[in-house]
Amino acid sequence: MGVILMKVITLLTKEGKARYMLLDHNNEPVQPVLHYLKFKDNSGASRNTLRSFSYHLKLFFEFLEQINKDYRDIGIDEMADFIRWLQNPHQDVKVSPIFPKQPIRKAKTVNIIINTVLGFYDYLMRHEDYSIQLTERLKKQVPGSRKGFKSFLHHINKNKSFTSHILKLKVPKQQPKTLSKDQIALIMNACVNMRDLFLIQLLWESSMRIGEALTLWLEDFEVDARKIHIRDRGELSNLAEIKTVCSPRSIDVSEDLINMYFDYIAQFHTDEVDTNHVFIKLTGENKGQPLEYTDVVALVQRLRKKTGIYFTPHMLRHTSLTELRKAGWRDEHLMNRAGHAHIQTTMQMYIHPSDEDIRKDWENAQDRMKINKENKENNE
């Protein structure tokens, strides 16, 4: 039996918004997934979330085809097999690697896919068939708090418990990947026009996400106050949108960045441009139209090839927030600039001193650690 592939197709709503549908190998919609995605869409899930859910469930239903199981007949053992299948380089239940190989998906990715599938089954239980109790069978009660820190009321809640899923891979802790200032300078020097240079400088200085940069309109720049306002306008014509309900915020920027903004607008936002999106395409048949994610991907690939530096737009954000943390920014200010919903997210991601930082602090503190001990030889 060969690997049976399904496919995800993109549909456009009457409002011109992109939505997704999972088709089986007969090009028929997978109805339970169709209903679930519609539910998530009506619940306010973002386009990127819907797209991710579609591809995660595509993997799951391909797995079900291979083991010849109906989605209503899945238990704990099959879910454990699915985890192993997700890590199998061959993506086939009948083929296993002869020699040990690295899993094709990281533990974090596998956990995200499993959570999507469990969310799907939770929907089925609540909305279609209450006899489908898969998510309930995969839960366990864990004493303590699901948070990785002791809260202010820990002494009150310490005897309580929380619900956790038993199917969860351990994820090694990793620090966000960052760039050096010299590397960022090389990337900027490799830009061939003011738009690209302005975009890289904006991502580095403002700490914003690339999706947020692509949603910016001209009126979002308050030049006198040297502020940029990130606003929630939903899904825009270039398919850009902000990430979360906490993303709308105002960001202080430098006078240099505002001057770059003026230079870029004067050069490229001519009378022929019929959009108030800040970032636009500079060439081709769609010249003057809003810049899209695919355009940014192409730009990053060109800059990688030119500089030999591997980077992503999100690495510029991580680097920016890490540098602000090193500069002494308070946690709550860093959280606001990042657009995080919880301060713990900010602390876990950006409070990670380097070996150099630890060494420097030790050198500054070691004199305070000295103890004046009596010299036994002199006392004898």
Side-chain angles (χ1 to χ4, degrees):
M1 179 182 66
V3 177
I4 301 172
L5 295 179
M6 299 184 174
K7 61 182 178 182
V8 174
I9 62 171
T10 304
L11 305 172
L12 290 179
T13 66
K14 293 180 181 179
E15 295 80 20
K17 296 181 178 181
R19 292 298 179 263
Y20 305 95
M21 180 184 294
L22 176 62
L23 302 182
D24 62 19
H25 55 280
N26 294 320
N27 284 328
E28 295 291 334
V30 181
Q31 290 297 328
V33 175
L34 181 67
H35 296 156
Y36 178 60
L37 293 177
K38 184 176 181 181
F39 163 73
K40 296 302 293 185
D41 188 13
N42 291 336
S43 300
S46 70
R47 177 184 56 84
N48 287 336
T49 298
L50 296 173
R51 183 176 184 274
S52 296
F53 283 2
S54 300
Y55 281 98
H56 295 167
L57 293 171
K58 170 182 178 290
L59 291 170
F60 181 62
F61 274 82
E62 286 174 352
F63 166 75
L64 294 181
E65 289 275 6
Q66 289 188 28
I67 64 174
N68 196 27
K69 282 271 190 176
D70 187 274
Y71 71 93
R72 288 162 290 197
D73 299 327
I74 296 301
I76 296 175
D77 291 337
E78 287 81 9
M79 287 301 298
D81 289 340
F82 179 51
I83 288 180
R84 188 168 63 249
W85 183 86
L86 288 171
Q87 297 176 298
N88 186 343
H90 301 287
Q91 295 283 245
D92 195 319
V93 294
K94 292 192 174 183
V95 180
S96 298
I98 299 176
F99 302 103
K101 291 185 177 181
Q102 282 290 102
I104 60 172
R105 294 183 179 87
K106 295 181 179 179
K108 182 179 179 180
T109 302
V110 172
N111 287 342
I112 291 172
I113 295 172
I114 294 299
N115 282 337
T116 298
V117 174
L118 294 181
F120 167 69
Y121 274 102
D122 191 62
Y123 164 81
L124 293 178
M125 181 190 72
R126 298 174 188 277
H127 292 265
E128 292 187 9
D129 187 351
Y130 197 76
S131 66
I132 301 177
Q133 295 281 323
L134 178 62
T135 51
E136 294 301 314
R137 294 198 297 271
L138 290 174
K139 289 178 181 178
K140 65 177 178 178
Q141 292 296 313
V142 180
S145 169
R146 68 169 60 250
K147 300 174 183 177
F149 59 93
K150 291 185 177 180
S151 67
F152 178 69
L153 298 176
H154 171 73
H155 61 289
I156 297 176
N157 298 321
K158 63 181 179 180
N159 293 324
K160 294 186 177 181
S161 61
F162 67 95
T163 301
S164 176
H165 293 299
I166 64 175
L167 288 178
K168 192 173 185 180
L169 299 180
K170 285 189 176 181
V171 179
K173 289 186 177 181
Q174 292 182 328
Q175 297 179 0
K177 294 181 179 179
T178 58
L179 301 162
S180 69
K181 290 183 180 179
D182 289 340
Q183 287 176 315
I184 296 174
L186 287 172
I187 293 169
M188 290 181 176
N189 291 334
C191 295
V192 297
N193 58 62
M194 179 55 72
R195 182 204 65 188
D196 297 347
L197 178 60
F198 175 53
L199 177 60
I200 298 297
Q201 176 71 30
L202 175 74
L203 294 174
W204 147 247
E205 182 179 319
S206 69
S207 315
M208 69 175 65
R209 305 173 178 95
I210 182 59
E212 295 168 344
L214 296 181
T215 65
L216 292 176
W217 288 3
L218 298 175
E219 54 264 39
D220 294 334
F221 280 72
E222 189 179 352
V223 295
D224 292 338
R226 296 202 294 275
K227 286 181 179 290
I228 301 175
H229 303 287
I230 297 176
R231 298 184 168 98
D232 184 2
R233 297 187 173 96
E235 185 181 315
L236 301 177
S237 61
N238 60 348
L239 301 183
E241 57 188 333
I242 67 173
K243 186 176 182 181
T244 70
V245 294
C246 298
S247 294
R249 60 196 186 279
S250 297
I251 296 176
D252 294 299
V253 294
S254 68
E255 185 176 358
D256 287 342
L257 186 70
I258 293 298
N259 289 336
M260 289 180 69
Y261 168 74
F262 279 131
D263 292 341
Y264 161 65
I265 296 300
Q267 185 174 353
F268 293 109
H269 266 268
T270 60
D271 293 338
E272 290 76 27
V273 175
D274 187 25
T275 180
N276 55 352
H277 277 264
V278 171
F279 291 102
I280 58 175
K281 301 173 187 283
L282 303 183
T283 58
E285 59 181 20
N286 293 319
K287 178 181 178 180
Q289 294 300 308
L291 199 68
E292 300 177 3
Y293 287 106
T294 53
D295 301 313
V296 177
V297 171
L299 167 61
V300 169
Q301 289 175 343
R302 289 196 300 270
L303 292 174
R304 286 179 191 165
K305 186 176 181 180
K306 196 170 181 180
T307 62
I309 300 170
Y310 178 85
F311 77 99
T312 64
H314 215 66
M315 285 172 66
L316 292 168
R317 167 178 163 85
H318 281 318
T319 305
S320 174
L321 292 167
T322 299
E323 288 298 322
L324 290 175
R325 175 65 190 179
K326 289 180 179 179
W329 269 45
R330 294 191 300 196
D331 297 339
E332 58 270 27
H333 292 173
L334 208 62
M335 168 186 144
N336 180 270
R337 194 170 185 89
H340 288 154
H342 306 287
I343 197 166
Q344 288 76 29
T345 303
T346 311
M347 295 173 67
Q348 290 170 1
M349 293 185 71
Y350 298 108
I351 301 180
H352 45 82
S354 65
D355 292 341
E356 182 183 349
D357 295 332
I358 295 173
R359 178 67 186 179
K360 188 180 296 183
D361 281 349
W362 165 248
E363 290 175 350
N364 293 335
Q366 60 181 325
D367 287 342
R368 297 178 62 89
M369 302 299 292
K370 289 181 179 179
I371 301 294
N372 291 324
K373 298 182 290 292
E374 292 183 358
N375 191 322
K376 290 186 177 180
E377 292 182 358
N378 294 336
N379 292 337
E380 291 178 354

